[in-house]
Tab-separated table of all heavy atoms in Angstrom:
chain	number	residue	atom	x	y	z
A	1	LEU	N	13.957	35.782	34.320
A	1	LEU	CA	15.192	36.326	33.628
A	1	LEU	C	16.329	35.273	33.856
A	1	LEU	O	16.585	34.790	34.946
A	1	LEU	CB	15.578	37.704	34.327
A	1	LEU	CG	16.923	38.239	33.810
A	1	LEU	CD1	16.806	38.732	32.425
A	1	LEU	CD2	17.252	39.463	34.792
A	2	VAL	N	17.036	35.114	32.710
A	2	VAL	CA	18.217	34.385	32.787
A	2	VAL	C	19.472	35.255	32.754
A	2	VAL	O	20.345	35.152	33.580
A	2	VAL	CB	18.320	33.335	31.542
A	2	VAL	CG1	19.681	32.639	31.483
A	2	VAL	CG2	17.201	32.390	31.527
A	3	ALA	N	19.444	36.196	31.807
A	3	ALA	CA	20.529	37.139	31.667
A	3	ALA	C	20.119	38.281	30.849
A	3	ALA	O	19.222	38.158	29.980
A	3	ALA	CB	21.813	36.541	31.050
A	4	SER	N	20.723	39.436	31.069
A	4	SER	CA	20.471	40.537	30.286
A	4	SER	C	21.763	41.352	29.995
A	4	SER	O	22.701	41.278	30.792
A	4	SER	CB	19.366	41.538	30.943
A	4	SER	OG	19.937	42.075	32.109
A	5	ILE	N	21.698	42.122	28.961
A	5	ILE	CA	22.868	43.004	28.512
A	5	ILE	C	22.310	44.366	28.137
A	5	ILE	O	21.415	44.404	27.286
A	5	ILE	CB	23.707	42.291	27.441
A	5	ILE	CG1	24.988	43.079	27.240
A	5	ILE	CG2	22.999	42.020	26.252
A	5	ILE	CD1	26.096	42.299	26.433
A	6	SER	N	22.886	45.350	28.755
A	6	SER	CA	22.435	46.707	28.397
A	6	SER	C	23.063	47.248	27.107
A	6	SER	O	24.028	46.561	26.538
A	6	SER	CB	22.707	47.674	29.547
A	6	SER	OG	24.129	47.789	29.692
A	7	ASN	N	22.597	48.381	26.670
A	7	ASN	CA	23.182	48.998	25.429
A	7	ASN	C	24.666	49.273	25.548
A	7	ASN	O	25.379	49.337	24.611
A	7	ASN	CB	22.451	50.140	24.956
A	7	ASN	CG	22.538	51.374	25.929
A	7	ASN	OD1	22.523	51.064	27.205
A	7	ASN	ND2	22.484	52.519	25.495
A	8	ASP	N	25.069	49.562	26.856
A	8	ASP	CA	26.554	49.820	27.019
A	8	ASP	C	27.385	48.566	27.452
A	8	ASP	O	28.489	48.690	27.894
A	8	ASP	CB	26.744	50.920	28.015
A	8	ASP	CG	26.235	50.615	29.457
A	8	ASP	OD1	25.702	49.483	29.577
A	8	ASP	OD2	26.308	51.486	30.254
A	9	GLY	N	26.755	47.363	27.434
A	9	GLY	CA	27.420	46.153	27.682
A	9	GLY	C	27.404	45.613	29.169
A	9	GLY	O	27.950	44.580	29.435
A	10	GLY	N	26.736	46.291	30.006
A	10	GLY	CA	26.511	45.822	31.340
A	10	GLY	C	25.568	44.575	31.351
A	10	GLY	O	24.652	44.456	30.664
A	11	THR	N	26.002	43.601	32.204
A	11	THR	CA	25.308	42.348	32.245
A	11	THR	C	24.759	42.033	33.642
A	11	THR	O	25.294	42.399	34.673
A	11	THR	CB	26.213	41.148	31.819
A	11	THR	OG1	27.418	41.170	32.659
A	11	THR	CG2	26.661	41.331	30.354
A	12	ILE	N	23.648	41.291	33.549
A	12	ILE	CA	23.006	40.753	34.784
A	12	ILE	C	22.733	39.286	34.560
A	12	ILE	O	22.240	38.925	33.446
A	12	ILE	CB	21.739	41.563	35.181
A	12	ILE	CG1	22.105	42.958	35.438
A	12	ILE	CG2	21.037	40.850	36.300
A	12	ILE	CD1	20.845	43.873	35.590
A	13	TYR	N	22.977	38.457	35.607
A	13	TYR	CA	22.681	37.055	35.451
A	13	TYR	C	21.879	36.533	36.626
A	13	TYR	O	22.047	37.070	37.754
A	13	TYR	CB	24.017	36.211	35.405
A	13	TYR	CG	24.831	36.423	34.186
A	13	TYR	CD1	25.894	37.425	34.190
A	13	TYR	CD2	24.662	35.697	33.102
A	13	TYR	CE1	26.646	37.612	33.060
A	13	TYR	CE2	25.416	35.870	31.998
A	13	TYR	CZ	26.375	36.864	31.956
A	13	TYR	OH	27.177	37.043	30.847
A	14	ALA	N	21.034	35.588	36.384
A	14	ALA	CA	20.317	34.903	37.451
A	14	ALA	C	21.413	34.129	38.263
A	14	ALA	O	22.380	33.545	37.660
A	14	ALA	CB	19.304	33.983	36.933
A	15	ASP	N	21.171	34.014	39.547
A	15	ASP	CA	22.172	33.266	40.346
A	15	ASP	C	22.440	31.800	39.891
A	15	ASP	O	23.535	31.279	39.972
A	15	ASP	CB	21.665	33.232	41.829
A	15	ASP	CG	21.834	34.611	42.534
A	15	ASP	OD1	22.541	35.440	41.989
A	15	ASP	OD2	21.204	34.802	43.602
A	16	SER	N	21.354	31.265	39.363
A	16	SER	CA	21.426	29.798	38.994
A	16	SER	C	22.283	29.535	37.786
A	16	SER	O	22.674	28.466	37.430
A	16	SER	CB	20.001	29.327	38.714
A	16	SER	OG	19.383	30.009	37.627
A	17	VAL	N	22.547	30.643	37.045
A	17	VAL	CA	23.349	30.412	35.818
A	17	VAL	C	24.784	31.221	35.854
A	17	VAL	O	25.572	31.014	34.942
A	17	VAL	CB	22.631	30.912	34.547
A	17	VAL	CG1	21.272	30.289	34.464
A	17	VAL	CG2	22.528	32.419	34.509
A	18	LYS	N	25.053	31.881	36.962
A	18	LYS	CA	26.298	32.608	37.018
A	18	LYS	C	27.474	31.581	36.957
A	18	LYS	O	27.440	30.544	37.620
A	18	LYS	CB	26.449	33.356	38.329
A	18	LYS	CG	25.548	34.623	38.416
A	18	LYS	CD	25.690	35.339	39.705
A	18	LYS	CE	24.844	36.647	39.677
A	18	LYS	NZ	24.949	37.283	41.034
A	19	GLY	N	28.429	31.976	36.105
A	19	GLY	CA	29.566	31.032	35.943
A	19	GLY	C	29.408	30.016	34.884
A	19	GLY	O	30.417	29.344	34.529
A	20	ARG	N	28.134	29.798	34.415
A	20	ARG	CA	27.939	28.828	33.423
A	20	ARG	C	27.479	29.444	32.121
A	20	ARG	O	27.783	28.867	31.043
A	20	ARG	CB	26.830	27.780	33.956
A	20	ARG	CG	27.192	27.071	35.166
A	20	ARG	CD	26.192	26.045	35.425
A	20	ARG	NE	24.925	26.502	35.678
A	20	ARG	CZ	23.768	26.120	35.036
A	20	ARG	NH1	23.942	25.216	34.072
A	20	ARG	NH2	22.575	26.625	35.252
A	21	PHE	N	26.707	30.513	32.145
A	21	PHE	CA	26.098	31.169	31.026
A	21	PHE	C	26.810	32.477	30.752
A	21	PHE	O	27.172	33.147	31.724
A	21	PHE	CB	24.634	31.369	31.150
A	21	PHE	CG	23.789	30.132	31.166
A	21	PHE	CD1	24.284	28.871	31.281
A	21	PHE	CD2	22.366	30.310	31.102
A	21	PHE	CE1	23.518	27.685	31.289
A	21	PHE	CE2	21.537	29.191	31.180
A	21	PHE	CZ	22.101	27.881	31.215
A	22	THR	N	26.907	32.887	29.477
A	22	THR	CA	27.418	34.145	29.090
A	22	THR	C	26.526	34.768	28.020
A	22	THR	O	26.251	34.193	26.964
A	22	THR	CB	28.841	34.079	28.586
A	22	THR	OG1	29.697	33.415	29.537
A	22	THR	CG2	29.470	35.435	28.223
A	23	ILE	N	26.129	36.037	28.284
A	23	ILE	CA	25.367	36.782	27.371
A	23	ILE	C	26.282	37.735	26.638
A	23	ILE	O	27.182	38.284	27.179
A	23	ILE	CB	24.159	37.526	28.004
A	23	ILE	CG1	23.250	38.112	26.855
A	23	ILE	CG2	24.660	38.525	28.963
A	23	ILE	CD1	21.956	38.599	27.517
A	24	SER	N	26.074	37.927	25.362
A	24	SER	CA	26.935	38.842	24.549
A	24	SER	C	25.987	39.379	23.344
A	24	SER	O	24.999	38.860	23.108
A	24	SER	CB	28.174	38.194	23.936
A	24	SER	OG	27.845	37.085	23.172
A	25	ARG	N	26.433	40.440	22.829
A	25	ARG	CA	25.769	41.032	21.724
A	25	ARG	C	26.704	41.574	20.583
A	25	ARG	O	27.790	41.925	20.909
A	25	ARG	CB	24.807	42.175	22.238
A	25	ARG	CG	25.643	43.418	22.761
A	25	ARG	CD	24.753	44.402	23.438
A	25	ARG	NE	23.742	44.970	22.592
A	25	ARG	CZ	22.643	45.650	22.962
A	25	ARG	NH1	22.356	45.631	24.251
A	25	ARG	NH2	21.808	46.076	22.079
A	26	ASP	N	26.110	41.558	19.373
A	26	ASP	CA	26.875	42.073	18.251
A	26	ASP	C	25.888	43.069	17.580
A	26	ASP	O	24.948	42.704	16.927
A	26	ASP	CB	27.227	40.958	17.261
A	26	ASP	CG	28.079	41.392	16.128
A	26	ASP	OD1	27.960	42.643	15.766
A	26	ASP	OD2	28.794	40.634	15.551
A	27	ASN	N	26.183	44.340	17.924
A	27	ASN	CA	25.189	45.334	17.336
A	27	ASN	C	25.161	45.492	15.862
A	27	ASN	O	24.152	45.787	15.255
A	27	ASN	CB	25.573	46.784	17.972
A	27	ASN	CG	25.137	46.756	19.430
A	27	ASN	OD1	24.321	46.082	19.947
A	27	ASN	ND2	25.835	47.739	20.161
A	28	ALA	N	26.335	45.188	15.189
A	28	ALA	CA	26.426	45.199	13.760
A	28	ALA	C	25.481	44.199	13.111
A	28	ALA	O	24.964	44.375	12.017
A	28	ALA	CB	27.789	45.049	13.300
A	29	LYS	N	25.373	43.044	13.808
A	29	LYS	CA	24.563	41.927	13.271
A	29	LYS	C	23.102	41.901	14.026
A	29	LYS	O	22.350	41.043	13.643
A	29	LYS	CB	25.200	40.600	13.544
A	29	LYS	CG	26.520	40.399	12.835
A	29	LYS	CD	27.147	39.023	13.132
A	29	LYS	CE	28.414	38.757	12.334
A	29	LYS	NZ	29.012	37.428	12.537
A	30	LYS	N	22.869	42.841	14.923
A	30	LYS	CA	21.647	42.881	15.543
A	30	LYS	C	21.295	41.625	16.198
A	30	LYS	O	20.194	41.110	16.087
A	30	LYS	CB	20.514	43.330	14.593
A	30	LYS	CG	20.626	44.778	14.054
A	30	LYS	CD	19.420	45.120	13.267
A	30	LYS	CE	19.483	46.575	12.712
A	30	LYS	NZ	18.327	46.863	11.875
A	31	THR	N	22.304	41.039	16.837
A	31	THR	CA	22.154	39.755	17.403
A	31	THR	C	22.675	39.674	18.869
A	31	THR	O	23.637	40.306	19.148
A	31	THR	CB	22.973	38.643	16.643
A	31	THR	OG1	22.525	38.735	15.205
A	31	THR	CG2	22.851	37.291	17.103
A	32	VAL	N	21.974	38.948	19.638
A	32	VAL	CA	22.324	38.692	21.056
A	32	VAL	C	22.491	37.143	21.198
A	32	VAL	O	21.650	36.391	20.631
A	32	VAL	CB	21.333	39.279	22.104
A	32	VAL	CG1	19.964	38.645	21.940
A	32	VAL	CG2	21.826	39.149	23.502
A	33	TYR	N	23.508	36.761	21.964
A	33	TYR	CA	23.795	35.405	22.132
A	33	TYR	C	23.705	34.998	23.583
A	33	TYR	O	23.882	35.815	24.511
A	33	TYR	CB	25.250	35.050	21.633
A	33	TYR	CG	25.496	35.477	20.250
A	33	TYR	CD1	26.179	36.717	19.888
A	33	TYR	CD2	25.194	34.693	19.126
A	33	TYR	CE1	26.427	37.084	18.632
A	33	TYR	CE2	25.464	35.075	17.815
A	33	TYR	CZ	26.062	36.279	17.620
A	33	TYR	OH	26.317	36.638	16.286
A	34	LEU	N	23.473	33.758	23.811
A	34	LEU	CA	23.562	33.125	25.157
A	34	LEU	C	24.316	31.938	25.026
A	34	LEU	O	23.884	30.854	24.512
A	34	LEU	CB	22.172	32.919	25.728
A	34	LEU	CG	22.121	32.381	27.182
A	34	LEU	CD1	22.644	33.562	28.055
A	34	LEU	CD2	20.802	31.936	27.586
A	35	GLN	N	25.587	31.923	25.552
A	35	GLN	CA	26.399	30.705	25.576
A	35	GLN	C	26.063	29.956	26.880
A	35	GLN	O	26.243	30.510	27.964
A	35	GLN	CB	27.926	31.073	25.548
A	35	GLN	CG	28.754	29.886	25.589
A	35	GLN	CD	28.752	28.962	24.445
A	35	GLN	OE1	28.631	29.391	23.307
A	35	GLN	NE2	28.663	27.623	24.769
A	36	MET	N	25.726	28.762	26.724
A	36	MET	CA	25.297	27.921	27.898
A	36	MET	C	26.215	26.713	28.113
A	36	MET	O	26.248	25.921	27.170
A	36	MET	CB	23.813	27.526	27.832
A	36	MET	CG	22.803	28.714	27.555
A	36	MET	SD	21.104	28.158	27.542
A	36	MET	CE	21.032	27.065	26.160
A	37	ASN	N	26.863	26.693	29.211
A	37	ASN	CA	27.836	25.566	29.433
A	37	ASN	C	27.389	24.830	30.735
A	37	ASN	O	26.623	25.403	31.529
A	37	ASN	CB	29.167	26.104	29.628
A	37	ASN	CG	29.726	26.838	28.444
A	37	ASN	OD1	29.429	26.459	27.235
A	37	ASN	ND2	30.627	27.780	28.576
A	38	SER	N	27.918	23.638	30.883
A	38	SER	CA	27.592	22.865	32.049
A	38	SER	C	26.104	22.763	32.310
A	38	SER	O	25.582	22.915	33.454
A	38	SER	CB	28.302	23.388	33.270
A	38	SER	OG	29.737	23.501	33.081
A	39	LEU	N	25.334	22.426	31.269
A	39	LEU	CA	23.911	22.397	31.326
A	39	LEU	C	23.427	21.235	32.229
A	39	LEU	O	24.096	20.204	32.251
A	39	LEU	CB	23.287	22.269	30.038
A	39	LEU	CG	23.371	23.505	29.130
A	39	LEU	CD1	23.191	23.216	27.640
A	39	LEU	CD2	22.354	24.517	29.548
A	40	ASN	N	22.407	21.445	33.015
A	40	ASN	CA	21.839	20.470	33.794
A	40	ASN	C	20.282	20.393	33.508
A	40	ASN	O	19.722	21.236	32.870
A	40	ASN	CB	22.117	20.652	35.237
A	40	ASN	CG	21.650	21.993	35.820
A	40	ASN	OD1	20.367	22.259	35.754
A	40	ASN	ND2	22.577	22.744	36.321
A	41	ASP	N	19.558	19.410	34.129
A	41	ASP	CA	18.215	19.184	33.750
A	41	ASP	C	17.355	20.494	34.265
A	41	ASP	O	16.268	20.657	33.717
A	41	ASP	CB	17.630	17.863	34.289
A	41	ASP	CG	17.811	17.737	35.751
A	41	ASP	OD1	18.344	18.705	36.399
A	41	ASP	OD2	17.522	16.706	36.271
A	42	GLU	N	17.789	21.197	35.207
A	42	GLU	CA	17.067	22.364	35.717
A	42	GLU	C	17.093	23.490	34.628
A	42	GLU	O	16.373	24.464	34.788
A	42	GLU	CB	17.568	22.833	37.017
A	42	GLU	CG	17.340	21.784	38.120
A	42	GLU	CD	17.718	22.381	39.488
A	42	GLU	OE1	18.467	23.345	39.526
A	42	GLU	OE2	17.372	21.750	40.549
A	43	ASP	N	17.985	23.362	33.627
A	43	ASP	CA	17.986	24.358	32.507
A	43	ASP	C	16.998	24.053	31.464
A	43	ASP	O	16.860	24.890	30.508
A	43	ASP	CB	19.413	24.373	31.943
A	43	ASP	CG	20.383	24.837	32.989
A	43	ASP	OD1	20.128	25.843	33.760
A	43	ASP	OD2	21.491	24.228	32.980
């Protein structure tokens, strides 16, 4: 698991990505996003 987002917007992140990755969702577009910043080779 990298990140998850519940139907009410609650989020969970793996320790290795906290502060660098952001999960979000757009229910109208039926789309979930993962913004990944400060990427390193372990990603």
Side-chain angles (χ1 to χ4, degrees):
L1 173 70
V2 176
S4 69
I5 184 166
S6 66
N7 62 325
D8 63 0
T11 57
I12 296 173
Y13 293 94
D15 287 343
S16 60
V17 307
K18 283 181 181 177
R20 300 189 298 124
F21 291 10
T22 303
I23 188 170
S24 60
R25 65 190 297 162
D26 185 333
N27 289 338
K29 295 183 178 180
K30 294 185 180 181
T31 301
V32 62
Y33 304 97
L34 185 68
Q35 177 66 45
M36 305 187 294
N37 299 327
S38 302
L39 287 160
N40 59 61
D41 56 4
E42 294 184 345
D43 297 316

